């Protein structure tokens, strides 16, 4: 009679590749600094969660791209979006584990990381691009990684959640006017204002469009999730390196704070200003 784990089938460790996983934390400091495993593991776990977020977002995009849209499909997209938002809440909390690392401890191995930087997290940029924050300037950080440029370019050329949200409300009968590449700044500003007013009509009749209203609020949660991560990350960075320059060559905290204005769905933020009882 065989006991637990003695059979030939799959085991916990073999299924999850725990042995291989444990071999992936290679410290650059020598002898390895006590806090470098923390630094590596926290980044690796972020990248794993980013991978899952992209997996969920890809499904959402596929659902919303469907030309034969219906309420059940929007409900399914919302179902996956709720998972993304739950992961983002975890990601905001997780950054605080880094606060247990004293600034002097970090300096003990920081010089080994130069010039690697969070700037080069291609999955983070993919999430931004997928949301709608598309910026080709970001591609320059990946000149050393052809595969990352290919992935990002693919995201750049594909529908974003921003595009698809407006596709959904158009399907429901609203008439948002989208930007064209050739539009002037003034035209873009006017069109954005027009879209805000279309969303206001949706918010004024939320009960008539429950799944689309939920979609809008979940997309706002997603946008807020990115923003809250940015704020907590910048705060932890200030606590650890103060106003030192980043290893990626930016001004550090001053640069990070400048990203707090970035939004995937400016219309969903702005509509609040116009709502009345
Ligand atoms: C000791 C901890 C950390 C420090 C001191 C730090 C510092 C910085 C700095 C200074 C930048 C600006 C770019 C540069 O010049 O390098 C940056 C960007 C970034 N970091 Fe961190 N970081 C830390 C932890 C993390 C963690 C745990 C993640 C998890 C993914 C992360 C992800 C990113 C990302 C994605 C960016 C790009 C942000 C953007 O351009 O909007 N960082 N980091």
């Amino acid at each position: 009679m065989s006991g637990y784990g003695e059979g030939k089938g799959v085991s916990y460790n073999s299924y999850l590749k725990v042995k291989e996983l444990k071999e992936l934390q290679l410290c650059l400091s020598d002898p390895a600094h006590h806090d470098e495993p923390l630094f590596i593991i926290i980044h690796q776990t972020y990248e794993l969660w980013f991978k899952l977020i992209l997996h969920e977002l890809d499904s959402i995009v596929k659902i919303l791209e469907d030309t034969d849209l219906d309420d059940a499909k929007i409900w399914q997209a919302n179902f996956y979006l709720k998972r993304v938002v739950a992961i983002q809440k975890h990601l905001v909390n997780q950054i605080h584990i880094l606060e247990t690392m004293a600034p002097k401890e970090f300096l003990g191995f920081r010089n080994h990381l130069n010039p690697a930087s969070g700037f080069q997290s291609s999955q983070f940029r993919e999430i931004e691009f997928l949301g709608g924050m598309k910026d080709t300037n970001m591609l320059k950080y990946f000149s050393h990684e052809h595969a990352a440029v290919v992935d990002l370019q693919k995201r750049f050329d594909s529908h974003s959640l921003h595009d698809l949200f407006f596709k959904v409300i158009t399907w429901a009968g609203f008439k948002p006017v989208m930007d064209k590449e050739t539009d002037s700044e003034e035209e873009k500003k006017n069109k954005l204002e027009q879209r805000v007013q279309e969303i206001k009509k949706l918010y004024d009749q939320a009960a008539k469009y429950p799944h689309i209203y939920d979609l809008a609020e979940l997309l706002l949660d997603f946008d807020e999730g990115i923003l809250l991560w940015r704020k907590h990350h910048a705060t932890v960075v200030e606590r650890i390196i103060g106003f030192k320059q980043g290893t990626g060559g930016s001004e550090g905290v001053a640069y990070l704070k400048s990203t707090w204005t970035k939004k995937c769905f400016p219309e969903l933020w702005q509509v609040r200003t116009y709502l009345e009882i």
Side-chain angles (χ1 to χ4, degrees), residues 22-273:
K22 283 168 58 185
E23 283 166 1
L24 296 176
Q25 293 73 43
L26 305 176
C27 292
L28 287 178
S29 51
D30 186 17
H33 190 284
H34 176 85
D35 283 0
E36 198 175 344
L38 161 70
F39 189 80
I40 295 174
I41 288 173
I42 199 142
H43 282 86
Q44 286 182 339
T45 49
Y46 266 106
E47 291 296 334
L48 282 175
W49 286 118
F50 289 165
K51 181 175 177 180
L52 189 63
I53 289 178
L54 287 166
H55 171 71
E56 305 297 345
L57 294 182
D58 278 335
S59 298
I60 294 163
V61 166
K62 218 166 142 201
I63 293 168
L64 298 181
E65 272 178 340
D66 198 325
T67 45
D68 195 17
L69 207 58
D70 58 32
D71 274 346
K73 285 175 187 143
I74 300 171
W75 178 88
Q76 188 65 45
N78 290 347
F79 186 82
Y80 292 141
L81 254 179
K82 280 182 195 158
R83 182 174 302 159
V84 170
V85 171
I87 298 168
Q88 286 179 300
K89 286 188 177 147
H90 171 69
L91 294 186
V92 170
N93 273 329
Q94 184 179 301
I95 195 87
H96 295 292
I97 301 173
L98 273 176
E99 285 169 348
T100 65
M101 181 168 69
K104 281 191 157 235
E105 298 300 320
F106 183 49
L107 293 178
F109 62 93
R110 187 179 187 228
N111 59 333
H112 294 286
L113 312 176
N114 225 345
S117 155
F119 267 154
Q120 297 157 340
S121 169
S122 50
Q123 295 201 104
F124 181 79
R125 289 296 167 227
E126 281 191 62
I127 294 170
E128 280 190 343
F129 281 22
L130 233 163
M133 288 183 262
K134 293 181 179 177
D135 180 356
T136 41
N137 285 321
M138 293 303 166
L139 297 180
K140 66 174 181 267
Y141 298 110
F142 303 95
S143 52
H144 58 296
E145 272 179 82
H146 180 66
V149 176
V150 171
D151 287 345
L152 281 165
Q153 191 62 53
K154 221 161 77 189
R155 298 279 180 207
F156 193 86
D157 298 333
S158 307
H159 284 138
S160 67
L161 293 177
H162 182 269
D163 302 331
L164 292 168
F165 172 68
F166 284 101
K167 179 194 166 224
V168 170
I169 68 164
T170 304
W171 167 81
F174 298 94
K175 297 189 167 32
V177 179
M178 306 311 289
D179 294 350
K180 285 202 211 87
E181 261 179 52
T182 49
D183 284 344
S184 66
E185 284 310 308
E186 186 65 21
E187 282 167 324
K188 282 188 186 158
K189 211 175 123 217
N190 292 338
K191 286 185 178 178
L192 186 127
E193 181 56 34
Q194 189 273 349
R195 290 196 295 275
V196 172
Q197 294 309 323
E198 287 304 292
I199 295 174
K200 179 176 181 294
K201 290 180 199 161
L202 164 69
Y203 275 61
D204 285 341
Q205 311 168 74
K208 191 173 161 198
Y209 303 97
H211 295 315
I212 302 182
Y213 178 78
D214 283 351
L215 175 66
E217 287 296 286
L218 282 164
L219 291 172
L220 192 78
D221 286 341
F222 167 75
D223 218 4
E224 187 180 31
I226 299 179
L227 182 62
L228 289 178
W229 181 82
R230 290 189 202 283
K231 294 196 168 182
H232 287 247
H233 169 259
T235 309
V236 172
V237 172
E238 182 172 347
R239 182 172 169 155
I240 297 180
I241 62 166
F243 288 86
K244 288 188 172 77
Q245 222 192 9
T247 45
S250 82
E251 280 186 316
V253 171
Y255 160 75
L256 293 171
K257 287 189 175 172
S258 76
T259 66
W260 294 356
T261 53
K262 288 175 83 173
K263 289 191 169 87
C264 297
F265 299 95
E267 300 90 343
L268 292 177
W269 293 92
Q270 288 186 26
V271 74
R272 271 68 193 153
T273 312

